[in-house]
Amino acid sequence: MTSGELQGKVALVTGASRGIGKAVALKLSSLGAKLAINHIAPEKANADAVVAILAQQGGEALALEADIRNSEAVKNMVQAITDKWGTLDILVNNAGITKDTLVLRMSDEAWDDVLDINLRGAFVCTRAALRPMVRQKSGRIVSMSSISGIMGTAGQGNYSASKAGLIGFTKSVAREVGGMNITVNAIAPGFIMTDMTDRLPQERKDAILSMVSLRRFGKPEEVAELIAFLASERAGYITGQVIGIDGGM
Ligand code: NAP
């Protein structure tokens, strides 16, 4: 991709303070986009550090604390973006959590928290972002599903359900807004090295690695490349798709 490819575009990446979201923010900014860095932790250290890196690279960025489950907070976040930059062109529904355990032992809370953040949060953000996108008759939405949402994973009944739900949601919204030149896609990463996967026990990591054709885990920067492509003009005829990035699992 060429630098300046996203010049003048405004992007919101949810959960951009760490991990894949941070890598996506860095990539989109390097291509010229202005970046809204969403995070939830009240201590802003991580999000502010991302904003500082982007500023150092000559980019424009804004840290915005909002729990993506909270409709009012998300509405205000999108308002803050359009107040500052006049528009919103790209939404990356990235924020997500895991609360892994076998279904037999899973609490209502573990189910609700994961579904609320991973699935409801993406709905709330998509609905809010669609308003400016529909107005300008263009936009790009990319949501972070997972290979777990396609294959299922033992110990991740809640997470797999949320990620499978995102696929149905993506395909439905793509049909609703295609006529307005808004593309809506999901990506399904395999095992990517971040805080989320770092805490898995070594035996589990070894078992996953044995299923990866490329015999290594993915890097957040590799996922960011795919998202940057889907967010670009070059992906203008791709919508309602789920694209795998899993090293061949
Ligand atoms: P991560 O390192 O744990 O980062 C999670 C991010 O989400 C953080 O920025 C966190 O913000 C934010 N967040 C959590 N709850 C939030 C909420 N309610 N509102 C707003 N932000 C919230 O995760 P990751 O590994 O980069 O994963 C990013 C996405 O990719 C997730 O959707 C995950 O399910 C998906 N994914 C990851 C992998 C993988 O192997 N890592 C594979 C497939 C899919 P704070 O810093 O403020 O807490």
Side-chain angles (χ1 to χ4, degrees), residues 8-243:
K9 301 288 184 192
V10 175
L12 164 61
V13 181
T14 66
S17 48
R18 297 185 274 129
I20 298 172
K22 176 181 173 183
V24 171
L26 293 179
K27 181 69 197 177
L28 298 183
S29 174
S30 76
L31 296 171
K34 299 181 177 81
L35 257 299
I37 308 295
N38 161 254
H39 65 110
I40 184 172
E43 69 282 4
K44 288 177 64 206
N46 286 332
D48 282 344
V50 177
V51 171
I53 298 170
L54 297 186
Q56 235 170 28
Q57 295 173 352
E60 240 186 283
L62 179 66
L64 290 167
E65 182 191 328
D67 183 338
I68 57 166
R69 287 169 287 192
N70 182 330
S71 302
E72 203 52 33
V74 169
K75 206 169 123 196
N76 292 338
M77 173 167 69
V78 170
Q79 188 67 50
I81 296 166
T82 53
D83 283 351
K84 185 170 170 66
W85 289 314
T87 184
L88 177 59
D89 303 290
I90 299 162
L91 167 67
V92 182
N93 283 315
N94 167 76
I97 62 162
T98 50
K99 287 201 173 178
D100 294 356
T101 188
L102 296 172
V103 167
L104 262 176
R105 294 190 202 131
M106 190 175 286
S107 65
D108 291 355
E109 191 195 9
W111 175 271
D112 290 344
D113 284 353
V114 170
L115 269 290
D116 268 2
I117 292 179
N118 296 6
L119 186 54
R120 185 176 191 279
F123 151 66
V124 168
C125 291
T126 299
R127 182 178 57 187
L130 276 176
R131 287 185 208 286
M133 289 180 183
V134 165
R135 224 178 292 132
Q136 71 198 15
K137 289 204 166 38
S138 73
R140 293 277 187 271
I141 299 175
V142 184
S143 296
M144 199 65 79
S145 182
S146 165
I147 193 160
S148 289
I150 296 171
M151 290 172 46
T153 307
Q156 289 198 313
N158 48 0
Y159 184 79
S160 301
S162 71
K163 295 300 183 180
L166 264 179
I167 293 174
F169 178 66
T170 295
K171 289 175 182 279
S172 299
V173 182
R175 290 188 190 278
E176 288 184 17
V177 299
M180 280 163 278
N181 189 33
I182 300 168
T183 67
V184 190
N185 291 292
I187 70 164
F191 188 111
I192 311 298
M193 290 179 293
T194 66
D195 293 347
M196 183 179 274
T197 44
D198 197 40
R199 56 178 175 258
L200 292 174
Q202 192 57 45
E203 317 86 77
R204 178 108 179 263
K205 289 183 188 170
D206 292 343
I208 295 169
L209 191 56
S210 70
M211 295 191 288
V212 180
S213 304
L214 290 175
R215 294 287 180 262
R216 66 171 178 86
F217 295 136
K219 298 180 217 151
E221 294 74 20
E222 292 173 312
V223 179
E225 289 290 340
L226 174 58
I227 292 186
F229 170 66
L230 289 173
S232 76
E233 290 303 315
R234 290 190 293 144
Y237 202 56
I238 301 174
T239 197
Q241 303 304 306
V242 185
I243 301 179

